[in-house]
Amino acid sequence: METPKYMMKKIFFLLLVLLGMRDGVSAQSSHLMPFFRSFLDGDMENVKLFEPNQIEASGRKADNTYKRANQAKPVKNLGLRLTQGKEEVGAFYLPDYIFSTKDGLLIEFEYIMMYTNPSEKGLTDGICMFLVDATTNQYIGDNLKYGAEGAGFGYTHRSSVHQSISKGVLPITGMKGGYLAVALDQGNFKNWRMEDYEMRNGIPYNDNLTTIANAQLLKYNTRSNVTIRGAAGRGKKTITTKQNTHEIPEGSWGFPVLITRHTGWSITGGLEDEHSNGLRNEAGFELNTMSGQYERHVTPRIDKPFNISGGGVFSHSDESTYRKAIIALEPNDNGGGFKITVTIQHGTDKTVVIENYTYPSSLSYTENSLPIRIAGGSPPKPIWYTTPPVTDLTLITPQRLCIGFMASTGQLTAHTNIIKNLRITPLYGARAEDDIYEHRRGPATVRPLDNDVAYRGEGSTPNPGKDNLDPRSFRIWKNDKECLGSEVFVYEAPNEGKWVYNPELAEMMFFPVKGFKGEVSIMYDVKGKYAPYDDELFRSSLAKIVINIDDNQP
């Protein structure tokens, strides 16, 4: 029941509205953070596509264009489409968004993963977020090149026995200067490969555990995972075994799988039983950075299984196909690098898949992509070491990093991968979540800040809470380019109605025009009220208020 004090505040505020409040438009803030790009309007300002290493290495399409050409393309009202066909890579980065490992970041993006042809059932690869060394121009700008398509996700290298494209696909250099890749992995980014056309280090899976050292049972070679790979090796690497001396150029070693977790979905069985332990709490592995071997890692527990792929287009988070990746990069004060947490939102549920993984400053890993020899035949067959060499990798912590995204597909399945509503904020910036409401008729009153938080407290672990928000810092955005400015709390949307925000009550009211029926939306941001989180640097990224007026008849 509303109190008399509450009712007086509401009546007083509505009187102010009826007397009229000035509507003004100001330019979007020019500071670097928070970053938001919907990609729904085709805007690619300060977003740069980049080119592949060895563009000719996978041959040409039927139209005579190179298969490895960058396929990224904005599609109006859908997002930035990275792939649509087979054997594709789409890649972009943010050249003006430079930061360091001392900066904590929260990276959020919605993504669409779906079969391009609904009748298909095969495997595909996925989407990854990558960080690359931006200390100098050695690895960015025109020097930034992506790696292998398919299971390489554009990040890693691909070794091959072939020397001519007429015989098979050729070797591909991985992303030089790559520091980290976090992948929404539909199956293969985590895997060891030893084929004539593709050799790459990773986790081997085989029920005959004597086939290769440190093999894991085949049942753990799952689909639907989150996988993190580490840095590219710097300079040339020499690895000597009893049989060979391997000279490996920069860009063709390193990139070790650091950790992978399964989420509880398979092609044959679909979603696991929510009440069972499931493979989602068995099929997880982490690199022991001292021994170079993989060990079981299945924490935190995943209670509700989900498919990393949503399988369809969506508009809002209340749809079952909705997917959002939330990647938290917390500075690691001991040894540099980051502590990494990856959360996936599937529909309205959020699941922490990888929690506080500490990125090491150096490690040992098994370089099991090296063949002991190449056997003759058509095609020639690489023969692997049953006990592959373990080598060291120093993960040089760059002073500056640049962020980008890629998606890839392989030879078997045409898959559409799309990114939209990309948000990047300081790790302890205010967090605003989308709000979706159903109303039978207007006017409608909603409380958008009830599921938002800001931070308070000094030190490495400030505390989040709704009460830390400054309701008066609320700013209305007509869209992701046009902000009404500070202290402007009224906006009249043509042919829809009037939006009115009350900072005293932290309420938003919508007064539809007579006869209006349907969906309306508006965007906003907000920040905290306690220093230092009251600074503009810690303002939230944009969130959306959606109201669906089902029946506005008098």
Side-chain angles (χ1 to χ4, degrees), residues 260-273:
T260 186
R261 288 290 312 277
H262 175 50
T263 69
W265 178 89
S266 69
I267 288 178
T268 54
L271 288 176
E272 294 180 335
D273 181 354

Side-chain angles (χ1 to χ4, degrees), residues 433-538:
E433 302 281 353
D434 290 351
D435 303 278
I436 303 169
Y437 304 95
E438 300 282 339
H439 278 266
R440 182 168 177 80
R441 53 175 58 90
T445 301
V446 298
R447 296 182 57 81
L449 302 188
D450 281 359
N451 60 342
D452 300 342
V453 298
Y455 286 83
R456 182 181 186 181
E458 301 294 338
S460 59
T461 55
N463 298 312
K466 182 185 75 170
D467 293 339
N468 300 332
L469 290 164
D470 175 8
R472 190 162 285 278
S473 72
F474 186 101
R475 298 189 309 186
I476 297 173
W477 292 70
K478 295 163 64 175
N479 51 55
D480 64 358
K481 303 290 189 304
E482 297 179 85
C483 178
L484 301 188
S486 299
E487 301 280 336
V488 181
F489 297 136
V490 175
Y491 171 64
E492 191 151 358
N495 304 315
E496 293 179 349
K498 179 180 284 189
W499 295 89
V500 179
Y501 173 71
N502 184 338
E504 298 298 321
L505 301 174
E507 289 183 345
M508 175 68 87
M509 290 162 278
F510 176 70
F511 302 88
V513 297
K514 185 176 181 180
F516 179 84
K517 181 179 180 181
E519 181 181 288
V520 292
S521 65
I522 200 163
M523 305 184 86
Y524 74 93
D525 63 18
V526 69
K527 63 178 182 174
K529 61 185 176 183
Y530 298 109
Y533 307 110
D534 58 346
D535 189 89
E536 285 298 320
L537 175 68
F538 295 99

Side-chain angles (χ1 to χ4, degrees), residues 207-213 215 386:
D207 284 340
N208 181 355
L209 301 183
T210 64
T211 299
I212 184 171
T386 54

Side-chain angles (χ1 to χ4, degrees), residues 99 101 221 226 398 529:
F99 60 97
T101 52
N221 185 13
V226 173
K529 61 185 176 183

Side-chain angles (χ1 to χ4, degrees), residues 192 200-204 212-214 229 239 254 256-257 287-288 291-294 363-370 385-392:
W192 167 64
R200 179 183 298 105
N201 69 61
I203 303 174
I212 184 171
N214 200 214
R229 279 188 181 257
I239 297 178
V257 174
L287 178 67
N288 181 319
S291 68
Q293 305 296 299
Y294 288 100
L363 58 82
S364 294
Y365 77 100
T366 302
E367 188 50 87
N368 52 16
S369 68
L370 300 175
Y385 290 90
T386 54
T387 304
V390 174
T391 191
D392 61 292

